[in-house]
Amino acid sequence: MILELDCGNSFIKWRVLDSPMARASAEGVVGSDLELIEGLKAIPGLSLTRCRLVSVRASEETGQLVEALQGAFGVVVSCAVSAREAAGVRNGYEEFERLGLDRWLAMLGGFKLASGACLVLDFGTAATADFIAADGEHLGGFICPGMPLMRSQLRTHTRKIRYDDIAAEQALARLSPGRTTVEAVERGCTLMLRGFVLTQLELARSYWGNDFTVFLTGGDADLVSDAVPHARFVPDLVFVGLAMACPLS
């Protein structure tokens, strides 16, 4: 069995594959290393042989997780690393190692699935956009606060903005002007994300006309899906790229 991990700033997304080509037999999202280890140990019949992961955390934090996995399961762990070029994609950053690994792997996955030019839009803690031309050249990208960061900043710096997650979910049932603070904040932030998407689409069309594929990924991708009905929603796009960056054969 193979364990795959996407270690973000806020959460760890995980899944277990019975073989490299199989669908996930178990998967989930956790908030800590301990929660991950305990959750995996609770899976009946789990017998891990390999693990591959991508992490945007500090090297010390990532190292601690690798040690915990090795101690708990005796598993060999492969960590994705930055590269100037991989799987036909050329990293467009001036200092390629400074491009976030999650973005890099999502680009590899998107380019493979598109077999041509693509725009990769990821909506997590941050919202990111990356442009990959048909010849694999990464043209660069954009980063802006995602829904969690926008919401957090407003709650932190505005004393009267206080509401819970249930109220936030209810507020997004429609996008008409808000008549309460929670509606105004949640709908306003969502419209900012949609505006970000529309700007990226306009730029992509200036490069490639209509000859490109749009990928949506990340936990909040559903908030913008109506703005790009033709997009391909691939929640595990980073894992597609991880398999390419860390082959197990």
Side-chain angles (χ1 to χ4, degrees), residues 9 25 47 49 111 128 144 149 161 169:
N9 293 300
S25 58
S47 179
T49 55
F111 187 70
T128 65
C144 73
L149 281 178
I161 294 181
E169 184 176 350

Side-chain angles (χ1 to χ4, degrees), residues 3-247:
L3 173 64
E4 295 185 328
L5 302 175
D6 177 4
C7 306
N9 293 300
S10 303
F11 301 100
I12 301 174
K13 186 175 182 180
W14 64 270
R15 69 180 189 177
V16 174
L17 310 177
D18 291 333
S19 69
M21 302 303 294
R23 291 180 176 271
S25 58
E27 58 188 340
V29 178
V30 295
S32 69
D33 296 359
L34 179 60
E35 189 179 351
L36 172 67
I37 299 296
E38 291 180 344
L40 290 171
K41 286 184 175 179
I43 298 175
L46 183 71
S47 179
L48 297 177
T49 55
R50 294 291 299 270
C51 171
R52 54 190 173 199
L53 67 80
V54 54
S55 175
V56 298
R57 300 178 172 190
S59 57
E60 182 179 349
E61 288 182 274
T62 303
Q64 290 172 350
L65 174 57
V66 169
E67 289 182 6
L69 291 167
Q70 291 173 335
F73 304 106
V75 67
V76 176
V77 181
S78 300
C79 299
V81 297
S82 300
R84 172 63 69 189
E85 183 173 351
V89 179
R90 295 182 297 282
N91 193 317
Y93 262 30
E94 295 177 0
E95 300 176 72
F96 72 87
E97 64 276 3
R98 297 187 66 84
L99 176 68
L101 277 173
D102 52 346
R103 288 173 62 195
W104 176 237
L105 296 188
M107 287 161 49
L108 297 185
F111 187 70
K112 176 184 178 181
L113 295 178
S115 298
C118 61
L119 168 62
V120 177
L121 300 170
D122 192 341
F123 296 92
T125 303
T128 65
D130 282 289
F131 299 78
I132 305 95
D135 64 356
E137 185 70 26
H138 173 220
L139 305 182
F142 297 95
I143 305 172
C144 73
M147 195 69 169
L149 281 178
M150 288 193 285
R151 182 187 291 129
S152 173
Q153 287 298 300
L154 285 168
R155 285 178 172 177
T156 300
H157 296 289
T158 309
R159 292 184 179 181
K160 291 187 177 181
I161 294 181
R162 296 288 184 273
Y163 55 85
D164 58 27
D165 292 339
I166 294 177
E169 184 176 350
Q170 292 173 341
L172 291 174
R174 60 182 61 86
L175 289 177
S176 56
R179 297 173 65 88
T180 64
T181 297
V182 60
E183 290 178 354
V185 169
E186 292 295 314
R187 295 174 188 179
C189 290
T190 298
L191 289 175
M192 287 189 72
L193 287 183
R194 292 189 176 206
F196 175 77
V197 168
L198 295 176
T199 302
Q200 309 314 307
L201 290 173
E202 183 179 353
L203 183 55
R205 291 190 187 104
S206 74
Y207 289 144
W208 309 308
N210 291 315
D211 191 17
F212 66 97
T213 303
V214 182
F215 290 98
L216 291 180
T217 191
D220 285 324
D222 60 308
L223 295 178
V224 301
S225 58
D226 289 350
V228 273
H230 59 288
R232 293 179 61 179
F233 175 55
V234 185
D236 295 329
L237 191 58
V238 168
F239 285 143
V240 176
L242 180 59
M244 299 162 67
C246 297

